[in-house]
Amino acid sequence: MVQVSNAASRWGSSGLACLTGLPGGPPDFSRAEVLARAEQVATAVGTHLGITVGAATLLAGRAGLLGLRRGGRISAGGATRLLAAHDGWCALTLSRPDDIAAVPALLEADEVPADPWPMLQRWAATRLASAITERAGLLDLPAAILGEAAAMSARVARMGSVGAARDVEGLLVADLSSMWAGPLCGQLLARAGAIVVKVESPRRPDGTRAGNRAFFDWMNGEKLAYCLDFDSQADELRELLAVADIVIEGSRPAALDRRRLGPDHIAPRAGRIWLRISGYDQHPGRPAFGDDAAVAGGLVGAAADGPVFCGDAIADPLTGLEAARAVAESLVRGGGELIQLSMAGIAAGYAALPRAVSVADCPAPPPQPPQSHRRAAELGADNEGVRQLVSERRLLSC
């Protein structure tokens, strides 16, 4: 009983209770064990990397920066909704301009109101959840059935030769990921002394650059900013990947493979670690964001009349934290590994933890922002420095 009480108290003070539950109702403490487990992982990461890692800050920090609060069946960030289908619940995310543009095709309607959600709710209520997600998938829309994904921890496969066990200090990390999960892993490695290169395309830079800059800065402030076209400058990017000790990949694998930039196409390097983060384990090309991936894993809060969102896009920071642990453990083994994680699979593992009572006599203050972080470099600001770094690393490897 004391353990549950302590977990509930930490869940409340972290701001996660404030982010979970119906907006007009009490905060939800039912997922308190999620933070308790995340704290264990954060301790392990901090021990491996030699830094202090606060799980509560990682899980609720974005909401603190952006002033987000719980929205019940509207995600804290506002882009994802829980929809009641004919046979259950599903989640749909409309965060990109292309997502909004695809709504008429999803509904098979000539005209859609400026606010499409009421129409989407009526449409979903008459259809099976599987039919909703199938049609959304055809249109490349992020959608998930509640609890569809199985728990899946990091999958590790041998890739090239093993090197010596290493600390992260001074290692070169090519961070090709965007948004939150992959960038968070890169942020933790940078804090531990790695040289992390944030790789972006001028045509498709990290989407969080266009939002509240404070969040992008928090995730990327300690990284070098490197911008190049993945098509016309593929050879230049290949050179960076060839000398990198760690590669963080958050895009769909096919996007790199067709450019011959995947792990099978890059010159081998002893001990290299290739981290691949996807939305779903069995379908790595399926689009996903933190809130809909959490729903797929069953990681939701509880209300009397159905599920509510848990935290803020919680599958993202949980996956980023688990990814950092997987990389740190691989370094101890000497690397030479391909590590694959899916956000839905990680969320499902946390969803399997015991639930507590949803209401607790604990305070639930709003989430607080991280205490300090550097301003991230502008797009491509460190291009020349990165090219020089790659040249030096190539000479050292000769």
Side-chain angles (χ1 to χ4, degrees):
M1 181 66 70
V2 174
Q3 260 189 333
V4 172
S5 177
N6 286 341
S9 178
R10 295 197 302 275
W11 179 259
S13 62
S14 70
L16 289 164
C18 180
L19 291 168
T20 310
L22 292 171
D28 184 350
F29 289 80
S30 64
R31 292 297 188 177
E33 289 300 327
V34 168
L35 177 58
R37 173 67 62 81
E39 288 172 335
Q40 295 173 3
V41 177
T43 298
V45 171
T47 300
H48 279 298
L49 299 183
I51 58 176
T52 300
V53 182
T57 299
L58 297 185
L59 268 59
R62 186 182 83 149
L65 284 170
L66 306 187
L68 306 181
R69 299 293 182 268
R70 64 182 180 273
R73 294 188 182 96
I74 302 174
S75 65
T80 309
R81 305 280 176 112
L82 276 161
L83 302 174
H86 181 70
D87 60 341
W89 290 89
C90 61
L92 177 67
T93 298
L94 301 177
S95 64
R96 305 165 296 185
D98 287 349
D99 298 335
I100 303 295
V103 171
L106 177 67
L107 297 175
E108 298 178 276
D110 293 331
E111 294 184 8
V112 173
D115 177 6
W117 288 111
M119 192 172 180
L120 283 164
Q121 289 171 333
R122 294 190 296 271
W123 172 80
T126 64
R127 286 162 173 79
L128 300 178
S130 59
I132 294 171
T133 56
E134 181 179 357
R135 182 159 183 80
L138 294 174
L139 297 167
D140 203 35
L141 290 169
I145 300 171
L146 176 61
E148 67 171 284
M152 183 73 67
S153 56
R155 291 194 293 118
V156 181
R158 176 63 54 213
M159 184 192 71
S161 59
V162 179
R166 294 176 291 177
D167 294 327
V168 74
E169 179 78 32
L171 296 184
L172 179 59
V173 180
D175 181 3
L176 279 66
S177 65
S178 62
M179 306 304 284
W180 197 349
L184 172 56
C185 178
Q187 181 229 56
L188 294 172
L189 296 175
R191 286 178 51 200
I195 302 168
V196 182
V197 178
K198 171 77 172 175
V199 182
E200 298 175 86
S201 162
R203 289 184 290 180
R204 295 193 66 180
D206 189 324
T208 58
R209 275 191 183 273
N212 186 304
R213 183 60 189 251
F215 176 64
F216 182 84
D217 290 344
W218 179 38
M219 286 294 104
N220 301 290
E222 299 187 61
K223 304 173 186 178
L224 299 175
Y226 184 51
C227 179
L228 78 174
D229 188 279
F230 283 30
D231 292 312
S232 64
Q233 296 175 284
D235 288 343
E236 184 177 331
L237 177 54
R238 190 174 292 110
E239 290 182 358
L240 169 63
L241 300 180
V243 298
D245 300 293
I246 301 169
V247 177
I248 301 173
E249 174 195 336
S251 59
R252 304 178 196 190
L256 292 182
D257 287 343
R258 70 170 176 264
R259 297 177 172 93
R260 300 189 62 77
L261 293 169
D264 296 332
H265 308 118
I266 304 302
R269 180 178 177 81
R272 179 186 292 134
I273 299 168
W274 195 291
L275 172 67
R276 175 173 284 170
I277 297 174
S278 63
Y280 297 87
D281 184 70
Q282 299 299 321
H283 305 282
R286 182 177 168 186
F289 288 88
D291 284 305
D292 52 83
V295 171
L299 185 51
V300 293
D305 57 347
V308 293
F309 285 105
C310 175
D312 169 33
I314 198 165
D316 264 312
L318 288 176
T319 303
L321 189 56
E322 292 285 352
R325 177 169 67 169
V327 169
E329 291 173 348
S330 182
L331 287 171
V332 173
R333 294 190 295 267
E337 295 176 336
L338 171 64
I339 302 171
Q340 300 183 77
L341 299 92
S342 74
M343 293 196 296
I346 294 297
Y350 279 85
L353 295 172
R355 284 199 184 209
V357 294
S358 60
V359 179
D361 292 327
C362 298
Q368 297 300 306
Q371 289 186 346
S372 62
H373 50 270
R374 298 179 187 174
R375 181 172 176 82
E378 297 304 320
L379 191 67
D382 299 305
N383 274 16
E384 289 308 313
V386 172
R387 290 178 183 128
Q388 181 64 32
L389 180 62
V390 170
S391 178
E392 292 171 358
R393 296 272 171 148
R394 286 180 64 192
L395 289 174
L396 287 173
S397 63
C398 291

PDB file of all heavy atoms in Angstrom, residues 335-359:
ATOM      1  N   GLY A 335      28.912  -3.107 -29.112  1.00  0.00           N
ATOM      2  CA  GLY A 335      28.171  -2.674 -30.281  1.00  0.00           C
ATOM      3  C   GLY A 335      28.116  -3.711 -31.377  1.00  0.00           C
ATOM      4  O   GLY A 335      28.017  -4.907 -31.124  1.00  0.00           O
ATOM      5  N   GLY A 336      28.177  -3.217 -32.629  1.00  0.00           N
ATOM      6  CA  GLY A 336      28.023  -4.122 -33.763  1.00  0.00           C
ATOM      7  C   GLY A 336      26.618  -4.681 -33.831  1.00  0.00           C
ATOM      8  O   GLY A 336      26.425  -5.840 -34.186  1.00  0.00           O
ATOM      9  N   GLU A 337      25.624  -3.826 -33.534  1.00  0.00           N
ATOM     10  CA  GLU A 337      24.250  -4.315 -33.412  1.00  0.00           C
ATOM     11  C   GLU A 337      23.250  -3.391 -34.093  1.00  0.00           C
ATOM     12  O   GLU A 337      23.434  -2.168 -34.147  1.00  0.00           O
ATOM     13  CB  GLU A 337      23.867  -4.450 -31.934  1.00  0.00           C
ATOM     14  CG  GLU A 337      24.674  -5.512 -31.202  1.00  0.00           C
ATOM     15  CD  GLU A 337      24.364  -5.586 -29.721  1.00  0.00           C
ATOM     16  OE1 GLU A 337      23.899  -4.580 -29.143  1.00  0.00           O
ATOM     17  OE2 GLU A 337      24.600  -6.650 -29.129  1.00  0.00           O
ATOM     18  N   LEU A 338      22.200  -3.994 -34.610  1.00  0.00           N
ATOM     19  CA  LEU A 338      21.012  -3.285 -35.075  1.00  0.00           C
ATOM     20  C   LEU A 338      19.956  -3.421 -33.986  1.00  0.00           C
ATOM     21  O   LEU A 338      19.568  -4.532 -33.621  1.00  0.00           O
ATOM     22  CB  LEU A 338      20.497  -3.883 -36.382  1.00  0.00           C
ATOM     23  CG  LEU A 338      19.131  -3.387 -36.878  1.00  0.00           C
ATOM     24  CD1 LEU A 338      19.181  -1.904 -37.224  1.00  0.00           C
ATOM     25  CD2 LEU A 338      18.665  -4.203 -38.087  1.00  0.00           C
ATOM     26  N   ILE A 339      19.515  -2.290 -33.444  1.00  0.00           N
ATOM     27  CA  ILE A 339      18.519  -2.274 -32.365  1.00  0.00           C
ATOM     28  C   ILE A 339      17.229  -1.703 -32.924  1.00  0.00           C
ATOM     29  O   ILE A 339      17.222  -0.607 -33.490  1.00  0.00           O
ATOM     30  CB  ILE A 339      18.997  -1.413 -31.183  1.00  0.00           C
ATOM     31  CG1 ILE A 339      20.335  -1.926 -30.648  1.00  0.00           C
ATOM     32  CG2 ILE A 339      17.952  -1.403 -30.075  1.00  0.00           C
ATOM     33  CD1 ILE A 339      20.973  -0.992 -29.632  1.00  0.00           C
ATOM     34  N   GLN A 340      16.141  -2.423 -32.771  1.00  0.00           N
ATOM     35  CA  GLN A 340      14.847  -1.979 -33.288  1.00  0.00           C
ATOM     36  C   GLN A 340      13.825  -1.880 -32.160  1.00  0.00           C
ATOM     37  O   GLN A 340      13.669  -2.827 -31.381  1.00  0.00           O
ATOM     38  CB  GLN A 340      14.350  -2.952 -34.357  1.00  0.00           C
ATOM     39  CG  GLN A 340      15.296  -3.079 -35.537  1.00  0.00           C
ATOM     40  CD  GLN A 340      14.761  -3.984 -36.629  1.00  0.00           C
ATOM     41  OE1 GLN A 340      13.889  -3.589 -37.411  1.00  0.00           O
ATOM     42  NE2 GLN A 340      15.268  -5.200 -36.703  1.00  0.00           N
ATOM     43  N   LEU A 341      13.172  -0.742 -32.081  1.00  0.00           N
ATOM     44  CA  LEU A 341      12.109  -0.524 -31.107  1.00  0.00           C
ATOM     45  C   LEU A 341      10.904   0.058 -31.827  1.00  0.00           C
ATOM     46  O   LEU A 341      11.049   0.818 -32.788  1.00  0.00           O
ATOM     47  CB  LEU A 341      12.511   0.462 -30.001  1.00  0.00           C
ATOM     48  CG  LEU A 341      13.675   0.140 -29.086  1.00  0.00           C
ATOM     49  CD1 LEU A 341      14.957   0.717 -29.647  1.00  0.00           C
ATOM     50  CD2 LEU A 341      13.426   0.711 -27.689  1.00  0.00           C
ATOM     51  N   SER A 342       9.708  -0.269 -31.335  1.00  0.00           N
ATOM     52  CA  SER A 342       8.491   0.354 -31.851  1.00  0.00           C
ATOM     53  C   SER A 342       7.785   1.078 -30.715  1.00  0.00           C
ATOM     54  O   SER A 342       7.740   0.589 -29.584  1.00  0.00           O
ATOM     55  CB  SER A 342       7.558  -0.690 -32.470  1.00  0.00           C
ATOM     56  OG  SER A 342       6.923  -1.465 -31.477  1.00  0.00           O
ATOM     57  N   MET A 343       7.245   2.245 -31.018  1.00  0.00           N
ATOM     58  CA  MET A 343       6.562   3.023 -29.983  1.00  0.00           C
ATOM     59  C   MET A 343       5.343   2.291 -29.448  1.00  0.00           C
ATOM     60  O   MET A 343       5.082   2.296 -28.239  1.00  0.00           O
ATOM     61  CB  MET A 343       6.162   4.391 -30.536  1.00  0.00           C
ATOM     62  CG  MET A 343       7.337   5.285 -30.863  1.00  0.00           C
ATOM     63  SD  MET A 343       6.869   7.028 -31.065  1.00  0.00           S
ATOM     64  CE  MET A 343       5.807   6.936 -32.498  1.00  0.00           C
ATOM     65  N   ALA A 344       4.575   1.648 -30.338  1.00  0.00           N
ATOM     66  CA  ALA A 344       3.388   0.921 -29.882  1.00  0.00           C
ATOM     67  C   ALA A 344       3.778  -0.248 -28.993  1.00  0.00           C
ATOM     68  O   ALA A 344       3.117  -0.530 -27.989  1.00  0.00           O
ATOM     69  CB  ALA A 344       2.572   0.445 -31.076  1.00  0.00           C
ATOM     70  N   GLY A 345       4.869  -0.953 -29.358  1.00  0.00           N
ATOM     71  CA  GLY A 345       5.314  -2.086 -28.555  1.00  0.00           C
ATOM     72  C   GLY A 345       5.806  -1.666 -27.187  1.00  0.00           C
ATOM     73  O   GLY A 345       5.537  -2.330 -26.181  1.00  0.00           O
ATOM     74  N   ILE A 346       6.542  -0.552 -27.129  1.00  0.00           N
ATOM     75  CA  ILE A 346       7.007  -0.040 -25.837  1.00  0.00           C
ATOM     76  C   ILE A 346       5.811   0.390 -24.995  1.00  0.00           C
ATOM     77  O   ILE A 346       5.726   0.093 -23.794  1.00  0.00           O
ATOM     78  CB  ILE A 346       7.972   1.138 -26.041  1.00  0.00           C
ATOM     79  CG1 ILE A 346       9.264   0.664 -26.717  1.00  0.00           C
ATOM     80  CG2 ILE A 346       8.269   1.828 -24.715  1.00  0.00           C
ATOM     81  CD1 ILE A 346      10.075  -0.319 -25.914  1.00  0.00           C
ATOM     82  N   ALA A 347       4.844   1.089 -25.603  1.00  0.00           N
ATOM     83  CA  ALA A 347       3.655   1.530 -24.866  1.00  0.00           C
ATOM     84  C   ALA A 347       2.895   0.332 -24.311  1.00  0.00           C
ATOM     85  O   ALA A 347       2.402   0.373 -23.167  1.00  0.00           O
ATOM     86  CB  ALA A 347       2.755   2.357 -25.775  1.00  0.00           C
ATOM     87  N   ALA A 348       2.798  -0.743 -25.097  1.00  0.00           N
ATOM     88  CA  ALA A 348       2.076  -1.933 -24.631  1.00  0.00           C
ATOM     89  C   ALA A 348       2.759  -2.555 -23.422  1.00  0.00           C
ATOM     90  O   ALA A 348       2.093  -3.064 -22.512  1.00  0.00           O
ATOM     91  CB  ALA A 348       1.977  -2.953 -25.765  1.00  0.00           C
ATOM     92  N   GLY A 349       4.093  -2.516 -23.397  1.00  0.00           N
ATOM     93  CA  GLY A 349       4.803  -3.041 -22.235  1.00  0.00           C
ATOM     94  C   GLY A 349       4.494  -2.248 -20.985  1.00  0.00           C
ATOM     95  O   GLY A 349       4.298  -2.826 -19.902  1.00  0.00           O
ATOM     96  N   TYR A 350       4.420  -0.945 -21.092  1.00  0.00           N
ATOM     97  CA  TYR A 350       4.079  -0.109 -19.934  1.00  0.00           C
ATOM     98  C   TYR A 350       2.603  -0.247 -19.572  1.00  0.00           C
ATOM     99  O   TYR A 350       2.229  -0.154 -18.400  1.00  0.00           O
ATOM    100  CB  TYR A 350       4.430   1.348 -20.214  1.00  0.00           C
ATOM    101  CG  TYR A 350       5.896   1.660 -20.008  1.00  0.00           C
ATOM    102  CD1 TYR A 350       6.830   1.441 -21.019  1.00  0.00           C
ATOM    103  CD2 TYR A 350       6.359   2.162 -18.802  1.00  0.00           C
ATOM    104  CE1 TYR A 350       8.176   1.705 -20.837  1.00  0.00           C
ATOM    105  CE2 TYR A 350       7.702   2.440 -18.598  1.00  0.00           C
ATOM    106  CZ  TYR A 350       8.607   2.210 -19.614  1.00  0.00           C
ATOM    107  OH  TYR A 350       9.942   2.470 -19.426  1.00  0.00           O
ATOM    108  N   ALA A 351       1.755  -0.465 -20.581  1.00  0.00           N
ATOM    109  CA  ALA A 351       0.319  -0.632 -20.306  1.00  0.00           C
ATOM    110  C   ALA A 351       0.044  -1.891 -19.502  1.00  0.00           C
ATOM    111  O   ALA A 351      -0.975  -1.977 -18.811  1.00  0.00           O
ATOM    112  CB  ALA A 351      -0.462  -0.675 -21.626  1.00  0.00           C
ATOM    113  N   ALA A 352       0.941  -2.876 -19.584  1.00  0.00           N
ATOM    114  CA  ALA A 352       0.751  -4.139 -18.864  1.00  0.00           C
ATOM    115  C   ALA A 352       1.063  -4.027 -17.380  1.00  0.00           C
ATOM    116  O   ALA A 352       0.783  -4.953 -16.607  1.00  0.00           O
ATOM    117  CB  ALA A 352       1.620  -5.229 -19.497  1.00  0.00           C
ATOM    118  N   LEU A 353       1.636  -2.897 -16.947  1.00  0.00           N
ATOM    119  CA  LEU A 353       1.931  -2.719 -15.523  1.00  0.00           C
ATOM    120  C   LEU A 353       0.635  -2.632 -14.734  1.00  0.00           C
ATOM    121  O   LEU A 353      -0.404  -2.213 -15.255  1.00  0.00           O
ATOM    122  CB  LEU A 353       2.751  -1.441 -15.324  1.00  0.00           C
ATOM    123  CG  LEU A 353       4.147  -1.430 -15.944  1.00  0.00           C
ATOM    124  CD1 LEU A 353       4.753  -0.035 -15.839  1.00  0.00           C
ATOM    125  CD2 LEU A 353       5.032  -2.457 -15.265  1.00  0.00           C
ATOM    126  N   PRO A 354       0.662  -3.015 -13.449  1.00  0.00           N
ATOM    127  CA  PRO A 354      -0.574  -2.961 -12.642  1.00  0.00           C
ATOM    128  C   PRO A 354      -1.160  -1.557 -12.582  1.00  0.00           C
ATOM    129  O   PRO A 354      -0.422  -0.572 -12.486  1.00  0.00           O
ATOM    130  CB  PRO A 354      -0.093  -3.417 -11.252  1.00  0.00           C
ATOM    131  CG  PRO A 354       1.155  -4.186 -11.503  1.00  0.00           C
ATOM    132  CD  PRO A 354       1.808  -3.544 -12.693  1.00  0.00           C
ATOM    133  N   ARG A 355      -2.473  -1.497 -12.652  1.00  0.00           N
ATOM    134  CA  ARG A 355      -3.163  -0.211 -12.515  1.00  0.00           C
ATOM    135  C   ARG A 355      -3.488   0.062 -11.050  1.00  0.00           C
ATOM    136  O   ARG A 355      -3.731  -0.861 -10.281  1.00  0.00           O
ATOM    137  CB  ARG A 355      -4.463  -0.210 -13.313  1.00  0.00           C
ATOM    138  CG  ARG A 355      -4.290  -0.061 -14.805  1.00  0.00           C
ATOM    139  CD  ARG A 355      -5.603   0.380 -15.409  1.00  0.00           C
ATOM    140  NE  ARG A 355      -5.570   0.454 -16.851  1.00  0.00           N
ATOM    141  CZ  ARG A 355      -6.319   1.283 -17.565  1.00  0.00           C
ATOM    142  NH1 ARG A 355      -7.145   2.097 -16.936  1.00  0.00           N
ATOM    143  NH2 ARG A 355      -6.259   1.303 -18.867  1.00  0.00           N
ATOM    144  N   ALA A 356      -3.502   1.332 -10.709  1.00  0.00           N
ATOM    145  CA  ALA A 356      -3.933   1.748  -9.372  1.00  0.00           C
ATOM    146  C   ALA A 356      -5.348   2.312  -9.480  1.00  0.00           C
ATOM    147  O   ALA A 356      -5.930   2.366 -10.567  1.00  0.00           O
ATOM    148  CB  ALA A 356      -2.973   2.809  -8.838  1.00  0.00           C
ATOM    149  N   VAL A 357      -5.903   2.722  -8.350  1.00  0.00           N
ATOM    150  CA  VAL A 357      -7.198   3.393  -8.388  1.00  0.00           C
ATOM    151  C   VAL A 357      -7.013   4.718  -9.127  1.00  0.00           C
ATOM    152  O   VAL A 357      -5.953   5.337  -9.072  1.00  0.00           O
ATOM    153  CB  VAL A 357      -7.746   3.647  -6.969  1.00  0.00           C
ATOM    154  CG1 VAL A 357      -8.062   2.333  -6.288  1.00  0.00           C
ATOM    155  CG2 VAL A 357      -6.752   4.447  -6.135  1.00  0.00           C
ATOM    156  N   SER A 358      -8.027   5.139  -9.851  1.00  0.00           N
ATOM    157  CA  SER A 358      -7.872   6.317 -10.704  1.00  0.00           C
ATOM    158  C   SER A 358      -7.874   7.625  -9.917  1.00  0.00           C
ATOM    159  O   SER A 358      -7.326   8.626 -10.377  1.00  0.00           O
ATOM    160  CB  SER A 358      -8.970   6.351 -11.763  1.00  0.00           C
ATOM    161  OG  SER A 358     -10.237   6.394 -11.149  1.00  0.00           O
ATOM    162  N   VAL A 359      -8.484   7.630  -8.745  1.00  0.00           N
ATOM    163  CA  VAL A 359      -8.561   8.858  -7.945  1.00  0.00           C
ATOM    164  C   VAL A 359      -7.722   8.680  -6.691  1.00  0.00           C
ATOM    165  O   VAL A 359      -7.812   7.653  -6.011  1.00  0.00           O
ATOM    166  CB  VAL A 359     -10.011   9.197  -7.567  1.00  0.00           C
ATOM    167  CG1 VAL A 359     -10.062  10.462  -6.719  1.00  0.00           C
ATOM    168  CG2 VAL A 359     -10.861   9.375  -8.824  1.00  0.00           C
TER     169      VAL A 359
END
